[in-house]
């Protein structure tokens, strides 16, 4: 799971749902300079492990985050068959397809995409310096340009649909939760539809 606050809050909610009946919960983090792994533990201890993991201050990292690397660690830690929930914004490289296939050999996988609507379009606010947190590359853009804002929105939509296509091709259930509103109803509806 990635480290932004909204992902962490949803991970805690998902962890609470998962451990209510004494199920085992393990955690694999990625996205900062020291990714962590907590082996699956039953019930309340699993939830406490999740809370402890999310409570630590992440060490900032400049560079590509790797869902693929995290999924490789999941395969090494989760020995018993179970459900692996990948909670992420799924931004960046698609390095996770092959490791996800390996996890799918042994586990059921659920992709929980956390989407911030503010990342889907550029507001018209004049000139900005944008920084890619994974490469450190800076670009100056003039957001007053309607064609630039349109190209950005199209590229963002294509990236999101590309993630959905890969997950669909692999047969991985995929739910999109938004940071702009209540996540519980859409998530409950998604889970209800999976039964």
């Amino acid at each position: 799971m990635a480290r932004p606050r909204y992902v962490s809050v949803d991970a805690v909610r998902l962890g609470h749902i998962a451990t209510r009946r004494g199920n085992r919960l393990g955690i694999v983090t990625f996205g900062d300079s020291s990714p962590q792994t907590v082996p699956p533990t039953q019930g309340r201890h699993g939830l406490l492990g999740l809370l402890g993991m999310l409570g630590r201050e992440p060490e900032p990292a400049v560079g590509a985050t790797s869902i693929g690397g995290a999924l490789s660690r999941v395969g090494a830690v989760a020995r018993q068959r179970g459900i692996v929930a990948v909670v992420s914004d799924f931004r960046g490289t698609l390095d996770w397809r092959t490791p996800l296939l390996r996890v799918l050999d042994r586990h059921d996988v659920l992709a929980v995409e956390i989407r911030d609507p503010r990342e889907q379009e550029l507001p018209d606010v004049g000139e900005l310096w944008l920084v890619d947190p994974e490469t450190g590359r800076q670009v100056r853009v003039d957001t007053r340009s309607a064609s630039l804002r349109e190209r950005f929105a199209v590229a963002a939509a294509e990236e999101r649909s590309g993630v959905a296509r890969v997950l669909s091709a692999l047969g991985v259930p995929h739910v999109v939760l938004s940071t702009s509103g209540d996540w519980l109803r859409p998530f409950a509806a998604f889970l209800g539809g999976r039964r």
Side-chain angles (χ1 to χ4, degrees):
M1 68 195 76
R3 303 299 282 166
R5 182 185 180 283
Y6 54 84
V7 173
S8 298
V9 169
D10 288 332
V12 169
R13 292 171 176 163
L14 186 59
H16 179 69
I17 291 169
T19 58
R20 279 193 320 211
R21 295 193 175 112
N23 294 321
R24 294 163 44 97
L25 176 66
I27 303 102
V28 173
T29 67
F30 67 96
D32 66 3
S33 62
S34 60
Q36 303 289 311
T37 302
V38 174
T41 309
Q42 189 169 1
R44 182 181 170 131
H45 294 292
L47 188 56
L48 291 174
L50 173 63
L51 292 172
M53 183 71 61
L54 295 175
R56 75 175 181 83
E57 189 63 33
E59 297 175 21
V62 175
T65 59
S66 176
I67 298 173
L71 287 168
S72 294
R73 290 189 328 213
V74 166
V77 173
R79 305 233 183 262
Q80 295 179 348
R81 183 163 184 79
I83 299 173
V84 173
V86 181
V87 181
S88 175
D89 58 9
F90 290 92
R91 294 201 172 271
T93 63
L94 295 176
D95 73 332
W96 43 267
R97 188 183 183 284
T98 300
L100 182 58
L101 279 169
R102 287 189 207 111
V103 172
L104 281 166
D105 281 344
R106 178 179 275 171
H107 304 284
D108 294 325
V109 176
L110 169 64
V112 181
E113 179 183 345
I114 308 300
R115 192 177 295 175
D116 187 340
R118 297 171 296 181
E119 294 176 334
Q120 294 303 113
E121 59 186 43
L122 282 176
D124 181 358
V125 292
E127 288 191 5
L128 293 175
W129 278 96
L130 302 177
V131 179
D132 183 336
E134 295 192 357
T135 65
R137 181 173 174 244
Q138 297 182 7
V139 178
R140 193 185 92 207
V141 297
D142 185 355
T143 62
R144 292 174 293 211
S145 167
S147 66
L148 172 72
R149 291 193 314 272
E150 182 178 337
R151 286 193 321 268
F152 183 91
V154 167
E158 286 175 358
E159 180 188 41
R160 299 298 85 207
S161 64
V163 167
R165 277 193 306 275
V166 169
L167 292 169
S168 176
L170 296 176
V172 174
H174 173 219
V175 61
V176 176
L177 304 178
S178 176
T179 61
S180 67
D182 178 29
W183 68 273
L184 188 55
R185 283 194 181 104
F187 190 58
F190 172 77
L191 292 176
R194 300 295 310 162
R195 288 192 180 121

